[in-house]
């Protein structure tokens, strides 16, 4: 099993930046790519970004491309999401996920989930 714990969420204003972290523990060696997803009230969970094990490959959702940056530090077993130029539409619970497959397949297939961290962007 792999445990994931997100942190770094909060209330910010439009245009601000925020950095989310996801600490992984347990059998992390069994996983490969990791990713961030989000879910706004009344909406389905949305793909935000995924990253390969070595960080060489990244994918972003259309709504976050150019503003968000995903990264990871395997020595610290930590995944990050740097969010810049935040908009009210970015308001959601942000979830960290660990995947068995590649960054590409991680967009649609995830094996482990964190409990999420709330991000609220005011206008």
């Amino acid at each position: 099993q792999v445990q994931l714990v997100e942190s770094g969420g909060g209330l910010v204003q439009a245009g601000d930046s925020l950095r989310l972290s996801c600490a992984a523990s347990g059998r992390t060696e069994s996983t490969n790519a990791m990713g961030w997803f989000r879910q706004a009230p009344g909406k389905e969970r949305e793909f935000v970004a995924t990253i390969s094990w070595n960080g060489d490959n990244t994918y972003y959702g259309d709504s976050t491309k150019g503003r968000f940056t995903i990264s990871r530090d395997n020595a610290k077993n930590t995944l990050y999401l740097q969010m810049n130029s935040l908009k009210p539409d970015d308001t959601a619970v942000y979830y960290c996920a660990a995947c068995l497959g590649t960054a590409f397949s991680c967009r649609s297939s995830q094996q482990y989930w964190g409990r999420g961290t709330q991000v609220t962007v005011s206008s």
Side-chain angles (χ1 to χ4, degrees):
Q1 287 283 31
V2 175
Q3 294 78 42
L4 303 171
V5 179
E6 302 93 337
S7 62
L11 173 62
V12 297
Q13 294 186 334
D16 284 352
S17 297
L18 206 57
R19 189 194 198 199
L20 304 183
S21 298
C22 172
S25 61
R27 296 190 60 192
T28 58
E29 68 279 4
S30 66
T31 61
N32 189 356
M34 296 188 74
W36 289 98
F37 299 78
R38 67 186 184 185
Q39 188 166 21
K43 295 186 177 180
E44 294 187 353
R45 190 170 292 184
E46 176 189 14
F47 158 66
V48 174
T50 57
I51 186 169
S52 60
W53 187 86
N54 61 6
D56 283 355
N57 293 310
T58 57
Y59 295 90
Y60 293 91
D62 290 339
S63 61
T64 59
K65 196 177 300 182
R67 298 187 298 122
F68 291 10
T69 302
I70 188 172
S71 61
R72 64 189 295 173
D73 185 337
N74 290 334
K76 296 181 178 179
N77 285 329
T78 303
L79 177 72
Y80 302 100
L81 184 68
Q82 177 67 42
M83 305 186 293
N84 298 330
S85 303
L86 283 162
K87 306 174 183 179
D89 284 349
D90 294 319
T91 295
V93 177
Y94 283 71
Y95 297 92
C96 168
C99 308
L100 301 182
T102 65
F104 183 82
S105 65
C106 188
R107 301 175 308 159
S108 57
S109 178
Q110 307 84 29
Q111 279 65 51
Y112 302 101
W113 290 94
R115 293 188 175 184
T117 184
Q118 176 71 47
V119 172
T120 302
V121 184
S122 64
S123 57

